[in-house]
Amino acid sequence: MKKILISALAATLFFTLTGCQEEIFHEIRDEIELEDSTIGGDINSIVRYGDYLVLENGDIYYKNSTANYYGAWSKDVNSPNDYTYKVAADENYLYALGADFEEDTDEGENVIGKKTLYCKNSISGAWTTVCTIASSTSATLFCTNTPQPANRKAYIRIGSSVYALSGTTTTAETSNGAGSSTLGCAFLAGTVYFVNYLATGSNETASTEATYIYYVSGDNLYYRSSSSSDWSSGYDLNCDTVKSLSYTSDYFVLGTTSGLLVAPHTSAGIPSGASTDDFANVSSTLSSYYIVDSVLAVNPSLSLSDNAVYGSATYSGSSSSTSAVFDNIGLWAYYASRGKWNRE
C-alpha cells in the first residue's frame, strides 16, 4: 500500500513540477534582453502629425512614422518650459497642453497650477501660445488621430466647453455629442463624433476611409457605421477598464488598467471575441502589473504581427505591492522585424 501511495505521490509531483517547468520555460522563451529606456515616464498620448509620431512625457519626443527600430526618437528642443501632459494634431498643426506646478503649503505637495495650450505648424518649429487656463479649470486635449492627414481634427475641452482647434483659433463645438464630459472623438464619413471616453478609434487606413468607428466604456466596445443612426450595444471584451484603443487588420490593440491586450474582429471590423494577452511576449512585458495609458498601431491596414505597435506603461502604488518594475515605466514597442516587445 505504501509503495502504491508513494508511486501515486511521485507521479503527482512529476506532473506538477513538469507543469510548473513548462510555465517557467514559456516565460523564459518570451523574455529578451531589455533595451535601455530612452523614453521614460508617464505617457498619455501618441499621435500622428504629418509623417511623424509624437508623444509627451513632460517633454515632447518625435520620430518618423516609418522608423520601425529602437533609438529613432528625438527630443523636441523647443518643448515648452512647463510640463507637457497631452499632445494632439490636426492636418496642419501640432498641439501641446502643459501645466505649471504650484506648492500646496497646507498639504506639503505640488499640485497642477495654470495650464497652457500651445501649437506649431512644423515638427521643428517654435511653439506659440494659444490660450492659458486657470488652475481651477479642468482641461483635456484630444484628436481623431487618423492615418489620413485630411481627417485629423483636434479639440480641447476647457471646463464644460469643447473647442475645435485651428492653429491659434478656437471655435466652440456643440454638435454630435460634444459636451461637458467629452474626452475623445472619432472621424467617420466627414463627421466627427464625440464621446465621454478616452479609448476611441476607427478602421480607417492610409488609403481607405473608415467604415466603422469605436469607443470603449469600461470593457464594453461600441461601434457604428456611416449608415447607423446610433452606436451598437456594447460588446463585452471581458477585461479591466480600457484606456486606449488602436486598430489593425485582424485585432484591436487595447491599453488597459491591467496591461496591454488584444481582441479579434471580423474582416469587416466588427468585434468577434474577448481580449487576450496572447501576442508575442506581451504577457511578460506589458503585463497585468502595468497600466497602459496609450497605444498606437502605426499601419491599420496591416495585421497585428506585421505592424509596428507602441504602448506606454506605468503603475499605481508601490512596486513591491504590484511586482511592477520602476525602470519599465515609459514607452514600449513591438516591431515585426523583431517579433517581440521591448523598451524604447
Side-chain angles (χ1 to χ4, degrees):
M1 176 63 75
K2 287 183 179 179
K3 290 182 178 180
I4 294 174
L5 289 174
I6 291 171
S7 298
L9 178 59
T12 301
L13 286 172
F14 173 78
F15 287 113
T16 300
L17 291 173
T18 301
C20 290
Q21 286 177 336
E22 286 178 352
E23 293 177 5
I24 292 168
F25 289 145
H26 173 73
E27 291 299 318
I28 290 172
R29 285 196 301 269
D30 273 352
E31 289 179 358
I32 58 174
E33 183 177 355
L34 291 178
E35 300 282 6
D36 292 334
S37 178
T38 61
I39 311 290
D42 292 342
I43 298 164
N44 297 308
S45 44
I46 307 169
V47 302
R48 300 176 174 94
Y49 173 61
D51 295 327
Y52 296 91
L53 304 177
V54 184
L55 58 79
E56 40 60 36
N57 65 346
D59 293 311
I60 297 170
Y61 288 80
Y62 63 91
K63 71 184 296 189
N64 192 288
S65 60
T66 61
N68 299 330
Y69 52 86
Y70 170 79
W73 293 92
S74 297
K75 183 178 177 179
D76 184 350
V77 295
N78 297 316
S79 292
N81 290 329
D82 46 12
Y83 183 93
T84 302
Y85 65 95
K86 207 70 186 288
V87 289
D90 59 24
E91 182 177 10
N92 299 308
Y93 293 91
L94 180 64
Y95 303 91
L97 185 59
D100 293 329
F101 286 89
E102 300 173 348
E103 184 180 0
D104 184 336
T105 55
D106 293 333
E107 298 295 331
E109 61 184 19
N110 292 328
V111 296
I112 290 179
K114 173 177 64 69
K115 294 170 281 290
T116 306
L117 176 65
Y118 304 90
C119 75
K120 65 176 178 177
N121 61 4
S122 70
I123 198 68
S124 60
W127 292 93
T128 299
T129 298
V130 178
C131 63
T132 57
I133 304 155
S135 58
S136 59
T137 304
S138 63
T140 183
L141 181 67
F142 54 94
C143 61
T144 56
N145 208 17
T146 54
Q148 297 181 37
N151 297 337
R152 295 174 189 166
K153 314 293 180 183
Y155 303 86
I156 188 169
R157 178 169 59 78
I158 302 174
S160 59
S161 300
V162 176
Y163 299 90
L165 300 176
S166 179
T168 58
T169 301
T170 60
T171 305
E173 179 64 72
T174 58
S175 62
N176 300 314
S180 60
S181 300
T182 297
L183 293 173
C185 61
F187 184 91
L188 178 66
T191 299
V192 177
Y193 294 89
F194 298 89
V195 297
N196 300 340
Y197 306 95
L198 293 168
T200 61
S202 78
N203 65 349
E204 179 182 303
T205 73
S207 59
T208 62
E209 296 290 336
T211 55
Y212 286 99
I213 55 176
Y214 312 93
Y215 77 86
V216 185
S217 170
D219 69 340
N220 290 298
L221 175 61
Y222 296 79
Y223 59 95
R224 70 184 297 168
S225 70
S226 56
S227 60
S228 302
S229 59
D230 205 350
W231 296 90
S232 68
S233 298
Y235 186 94
D236 188 359
L237 296 169
N238 192 28
C239 62
D240 287 335
T241 300
V242 177
K243 304 195 70 176
S244 53
L245 174 148
S246 196
Y247 184 93
T248 71
S249 67
D250 50 359
Y251 285 90
F252 298 105
V253 184
L254 310 169
T256 82
T257 53
S258 294
L260 188 142
L261 303 172
V262 299
H265 59 72
T266 68
S267 58
I270 297 172
S272 59
S275 61
T276 175
D277 64 356
D278 187 18
F279 167 49
N281 59 330
V282 73
S283 64
S284 58
T285 51
L286 291 171
S287 69
S288 59
Y289 299 144
Y290 299 94
I291 300 168
V292 178
D293 285 314
S294 52
V295 293
L296 180 71
V298 175
N299 192 336
S301 66
L302 296 179
S303 68
L304 179 61
S305 60
D306 289 335
N307 238 295
V309 189
Y310 299 92
S312 65
T314 187
Y315 62 84
S316 60
S318 66
S319 59
S320 60
S321 65
T322 64
S323 296
V325 178
F326 181 80
D327 288 346
N328 289 342
I329 294 177
L331 188 66
W332 290 72
Y334 167 89
Y335 299 125
S337 59
R338 183 171 61 194
K340 298 285 187 180
W341 285 91
N342 207 326
R343 292 189 299 220
E344 277 289 276

